[in-house]
Amino acid sequence: MARLKGLIDFEGTIGGINAYTLNGERVIRKSRSSQKEKMKTGANYERTRENMMEFSGAVAAAKVLRQSLMPVARNFVDSGFTGTLQGKYRDMISVASGKRGQRVFKPLQHADAIRAIPFDKALHLDSVLRVKPVVTTNGERTLASLFLSINTATDLFTPTGATHVEFIYAISVQPCVEYDAHFNKYKRTDGLDQHYMQTISSVLIPLYVNETVDVSLTPQPIELSMLHVDSALVSVLGIRFHQQIGFKTYPLETGKVMGVVGVN
């Protein structure tokens, strides 16, 4: 930014230069529109444009999963979940195959990274649940079931005051996203424009009973004849603890956790 001291006196924009008064002084600077045009076409900004395009792809992919799961996940995520999710998806796209700025995000190729996404950075699923659930799907990948064999006295890290535990299981579609040169943006490859999610919860299971309990959860199938070949069926498991007082039970805010347990 420069300050005018000569005889030139104008306000407005001429040749991409803005002149205006700031705190009683006349100043000039390059217009933002000029900078934006350079960002769009300038050779020096090619890497920036590539980074911005791939970030938009990460946002598009993350948005589908976040919006589809939010009805069940909203009580389990921290305040930074949206940013965390976008950052993780940006990391995935950055190592995908293809031309920089146009790399394709195929979720099945990033299954481990998706399973590692933290819903709450302060508490991860494997720090509460000491056994691994088993997830199975049908051939069309429109339905998944979760099975868990657990001893609630030894296989759970429970918060103070908890007397019961509830398991919440949900499935959702994570589509592939790719760069569309015609529209100059990322889009889903499955041709769909809506979100899919099904969920089911267990009964309240008493804690501190030193015996194994088998938990089997199967929600309704996703309302598709079959999943697109490049899409993934994502399974998430939430754990919420409850406290019994008299004949009533109340959900606790402490110890609740959710995580991805399957990418099929």
Side-chain angles (χ1 to χ4, degrees):
M1 181 175 67
R3 289 174 172 79
L4 282 173
K5 292 185 177 181
L7 297 177
I8 301 174
D9 186 17
F10 73 94
E11 285 191 355
T13 303
I14 299 177
I17 301 297
N18 285 340
Y20 57 95
T21 301
L22 179 65
N23 297 327
E25 292 187 289
R26 304 286 287 167
V27 298
I28 59 173
R29 71 193 320 168
K30 288 184 177 180
S31 68
R32 294 183 181 274
S33 60
S34 174
Q35 289 295 101
K36 287 181 179 179
E37 192 59 34
K38 284 187 176 181
M39 289 278 288
K40 292 179 180 178
T41 61
N44 292 339
Y45 291 94
E46 182 177 2
R47 181 57 62 90
T48 301
R49 290 194 297 272
E50 293 171 349
N51 290 339
M52 291 174 62
M53 184 56 66
E54 290 194 347
F55 181 72
S56 72
V59 170
K63 181 180 179 180
V64 177
L65 187 67
R66 177 177 57 83
Q67 290 189 342
S68 62
L69 287 176
M70 197 49 62
V72 68
R74 67 174 72 254
N75 293 320
F76 294 91
V77 299
D78 60 22
S79 59
F81 177 66
T82 297
T84 298
L85 195 63
Q86 291 174 352
K88 295 296 184 183
Y89 274 68
R90 176 66 183 88
D91 292 341
M92 291 181 232
I93 287 183
S94 69
V95 297
S97 59
K99 181 181 177 181
R100 184 183 176 86
Q102 301 179 13
R103 289 181 278 218
V104 180
F105 171 72
K106 295 183 177 182
L108 292 173
Q109 296 179 354
H110 306 278
D112 290 342
I114 294 174
R115 277 192 286 265
I117 292 172
F119 283 57
D120 186 335
K121 290 183 178 180
L123 191 61
H124 292 200
L125 183 63
D126 56 8
S127 64
V128 174
L129 181 63
R130 299 189 176 102
V131 294
K132 289 190 176 299
V134 176
V135 174
T136 57
T137 64
N138 62 351
E140 295 79 16
R141 294 185 298 133
T142 58
L143 178 65
S145 298
L146 179 139
F147 178 78
L148 190 63
S149 186
I150 185 170
N151 185 317
T152 59
T154 59
D155 295 334
L156 285 172
F157 183 80
T158 57
T160 301
T163 59
H164 293 74
V165 64
E166 175 189 16
F167 296 98
I168 302 98
Y169 178 54
I171 57 175
S172 176
V173 176
Q174 173 63 75
C176 166
V177 297
E178 66 179 4
Y179 175 74
D180 186 327
H182 179 72
F183 293 101
N184 190 34
K185 68 177 184 179
Y186 272 82
K187 69 174 187 178
R188 297 171 62 155
T189 61
D190 59 7
L192 304 173
D193 59 0
Q194 66 184 89
H195 309 305
Y196 297 89
M197 190 272 289
Q198 297 286 0
T199 185
I200 189 172
S201 299
S202 72
V203 298
L204 298 187
I205 301 171
L207 296 172
Y208 312 116
V209 178
N210 193 19
E211 61 182 34
T212 299
V213 177
D214 290 339
V215 179
S216 183
L217 298 172
T218 303
Q220 293 294 313
I222 296 294
E223 296 177 352
L224 293 170
S225 58
M226 64 183 301
L227 216 59
H228 187 276
V229 63
D230 289 326
S231 297
L233 189 66
V234 177
S235 296
V236 300
L237 176 64
I239 298 176
R240 186 157 198 172
F241 294 96
H242 296 252
Q243 182 181 55
Q244 182 173 354
I245 301 177
F247 294 101
K248 293 185 177 181
T249 56
Y250 303 88
L252 297 176
E253 288 300 308
T254 56
K256 61 183 180 181
V257 67
M258 177 170 278
V260 178
V261 293
V263 181
N264 302 96

